[in-house]
Amino acid sequence: MTVELISVGTEILLGNIVNTNAAYLAEKCALLGLSCYHQSAVGDNEERLEDAIKLALSRSDIVILSGGLGPTKDDITKEVTAKVFGREIKEDAHTKARIQEYFRQVHSGQITPNNWKQAMVPEGAIVVDNHNGTAPGLIIEENGKAAILLPGPPNEIKPMFERDIASYLNKLQPEGIYSKMVKICSVGESKAETMVADLMDAQTNPTLAPYAKTGEVHFRVTARAKSEEEAEQLMKPMVDELYKRFGDKIYTTEEEVTLEEAIVELLKEKNLLVTTAESCTGGLLAGRLLNVPGASSVYKEGYITYSNDAKERILGVKRETLMEYGAVSPQTAYEMAAGAAKAAGADAALSVTGIAGPGGGTKEKPVGLVYIGCCVKGNVRVEEFYFTGSRDKNRDYSVVRALTLLREELLKHHS
């Protein structure tokens, strides 16, 4: 079955708010096995909204509208949809009672007259209770088509969808979509895609799709099946094949696990402490690691050594090294990593020194040149990188490359 999404609200068109509802609904509908070919955003205009609903119903089985169910005059989604379906709008006693109870609990019973507008529903509509607000969801069915009206606030639409709408849609489309994300580091996007080109050419069910992330490549393996267990059986051979090709460059197959979370877990498994010494990244690397809950068990202290004096004084980088090779050099990155490990009493250390831009580059050392050092149990490895983005991008890439380098070196270490 096909589903179409219409987001209602002039504030979306003006860019006053980010339309997160469309992304959420699209993902949820895809997981339910529904095909979504069209999405649109319409302002609070009766004529244009009516045209959008009619067009959507002409080409899709289900139309989901979000927003425009509030108590004010510009909230017209319900009224326009009822007009398209030729339905009268009448007061729903059940919804009115819920609104009254909601205001009694939350607003000390002070109800303004316009709030009763939300108790008016199209005749014959299925009313979906809103457990987090006053505007109920509505489902209008006719001639094999359905319009689903949902409130706009994310804290209302999401629980309503999870609680009631998903089960309704699942009955219409019993075969669902299930997926598993295989996350890879240490391999570039073009190389990774080349390594699986034959799998992508031959895909049917499951399918394989690559997603380029900053310094990473993610592969989504997706299967259409009647149950999660059946989907797992379909996806397993594909995931196993990816492991054969990428090996330990796969750091997780869990959607929510980040690279830094995988690294913190690896440090815990090996009972190792890590520290960081940063110049051009200015604490971003430490921040990524410390964003992980429980990172305090593997990270005790770190250093931002932006100046040469700080590199000498805190990390013990030799003045001769800085004078002869400069702060942005493999030699300095080496001594920063070794010095940080010693200063912190850590088993592992990462160092980053480079020219993030937009200024500061030379012909010999251009903007985007970054050296990253990694010390694990006294063994130091330094890598050279040339990034070509903005200052922010160059710093972001430096952080990911540093994390990737640390993971590679930790995998070599046997505790």
Side-chain angles (χ1 to χ4, degrees):
M1 300 187 76
T2 57
V3 63
E4 186 159 340
L5 308 179
I6 300 177
S7 304
V8 184
T10 301
E11 65 274 17
I12 297 173
L13 297 178
L14 295 177
N16 297 140
I17 64 169
V18 177
N19 188 8
T20 58
N21 285 343
Y24 169 80
L25 291 171
E27 181 181 20
K28 292 299 180 182
C29 287
L31 292 174
L32 289 167
L34 297 164
S35 299
C36 182
Y37 301 133
H38 301 91
Q39 295 183 23
S40 62
V42 185
D44 303 307
N45 178 277
E46 183 176 344
E47 183 179 349
R48 288 191 285 273
L49 180 54
E50 182 178 346
D51 289 342
I53 296 172
K54 287 179 177 178
L55 176 60
L57 288 169
S58 73
R59 62 191 179 188
S60 301
D61 302 304
I62 303 162
V63 181
I64 301 179
L65 298 102
S66 58
L69 297 182
T72 60
K73 289 183 179 180
D74 62 344
D75 291 309
I76 58 174
T77 301
K78 174 174 53 184
E79 291 76 10
V80 175
T81 307
K83 179 182 176 182
V84 171
F85 279 86
R87 305 287 182 92
E88 294 290 330
I89 294 182
K90 298 182 178 181
E91 184 178 271
D92 180 61
H94 170 75
T95 301
K96 184 176 181 179
R98 287 186 61 84
I99 292 172
Q100 195 163 15
E101 178 63 17
Y102 178 87
F103 274 89
R104 187 188 68 78
Q105 293 182 0
V106 179
H107 299 289
S108 302
Q110 297 178 1
I111 305 175
T112 57
N114 59 354
N115 283 115
W116 297 124
K117 176 179 181 242
Q118 294 178 304
M120 305 296 289
V121 306
E123 190 175 11
I126 301 170
V127 177
V128 182
D129 290 340
N130 187 342
H131 296 271
N132 298 277
T134 54
L138 299 165
I139 302 173
I140 306 174
E141 300 173 320
E142 191 170 289
N143 299 326
K145 303 276 186 173
I148 301 174
L149 285 59
L150 302 174
N155 68 323
E156 296 180 29
I157 193 173
K158 291 181 179 180
M160 183 180 290
F161 190 95
E162 298 286 347
R163 183 186 178 101
D164 295 299
I165 305 303
S167 58
Y168 170 81
L169 293 172
N170 196 51
K171 292 176 183 176
L172 302 179
Q173 179 69 36
E175 192 174 64
I177 299 292
Y178 302 87
S179 65
K180 187 177 289 290
M181 189 69 85
V182 179
K183 298 184 179 182
I184 296 168
C185 60
S186 303
V187 180
E189 177 188 4
S190 56
K191 182 179 179 182
E193 191 166 345
T194 300
M195 290 174 66
V196 298
D198 60 316
L199 298 178
M200 295 179 66
D201 289 341
Q203 64 185 346
T204 52
N205 186 25
T207 59
L208 182 66
Y211 296 86
K213 303 293 181 179
T214 301
E216 301 179 38
V217 179
H218 298 176
F219 286 104
R220 184 180 290 280
V221 181
T222 304
R224 185 185 294 272
K226 293 181 179 179
S227 67
E228 186 173 359
E229 293 74 18
E230 182 182 330
E232 288 287 347
Q233 292 178 357
L234 289 169
M235 291 187 287
K236 188 178 185 304
M238 179 76 79
V239 174
D240 289 346
E241 184 60 31
L242 291 174
Y243 267 104
K244 287 180 183 178
R245 301 188 185 198
F246 292 101
D248 60 16
K249 293 178 175 58
I250 297 174
Y251 69 85
T252 187
T253 57
E254 299 296 326
E255 180 92 36
E256 303 303 322
V257 174
T258 63
L259 178 58
E260 54 267 31
E261 287 174 335
I263 289 171
V264 167
E265 189 60 33
L266 191 57
L267 287 163
K268 290 179 179 179
E269 289 175 8
K270 294 180 177 292
N271 196 29
L272 300 176
L273 293 178
V274 68
T275 187
T276 54
E278 303 178 65
S279 184
C280 66
T281 48
L284 289 177
L285 176 57
R288 280 284 291 269
L289 287 168
L290 293 175
N291 277 339
V292 179
S296 59
S297 64
V298 297
Y299 190 107
K300 301 302 182 185
E301 62 183 87
Y303 314 97
I304 300 174
T305 54
Y306 212 65
S307 68
N308 284 356
D309 174 69
K311 291 178 178 67
E312 289 184 57
R313 178 170 43 83
I314 298 173
L315 304 177
V317 176
K318 299 184 183 67
R319 180 168 298 182
E320 298 79 23
T321 300
L322 293 166
M323 293 293 291
E324 183 174 356
Y325 301 107
V328 181
S329 65
Q331 293 83 2
T332 296
Y334 186 104
E335 293 184 21
M336 285 175 66
K342 182 178 179 181
D347 307 291
L350 283 169
S351 66
V352 185
T353 180
I355 306 168
T362 65
K363 184 177 180 180
E364 293 76 22
K365 295 183 178 181
V367 169
L369 173 64
V370 176
Y371 290 99
I372 299 174
C374 181
C375 177
V376 177
K377 289 294 186 178
N379 297 310
V380 182
R381 172 184 166 191
V382 176
E383 292 290 331
E384 178 183 81
F385 299 93
Y386 286 92
F387 303 122
T388 58
S390 64
R391 178 179 177 83
D392 288 344
K393 279 293 184 184
N394 290 340
R395 297 171 80 210
D396 288 341
Y397 272 105
S398 297
V399 169
V400 176
R401 294 301 185 192
L403 292 172
T404 300
L405 181 58
L406 174 59
R407 182 175 181 275
E408 290 175 358
E409 293 305 296
L410 289 175
L411 291 175
K412 296 176 184 178
H413 177 76
H414 300 285
S415 57

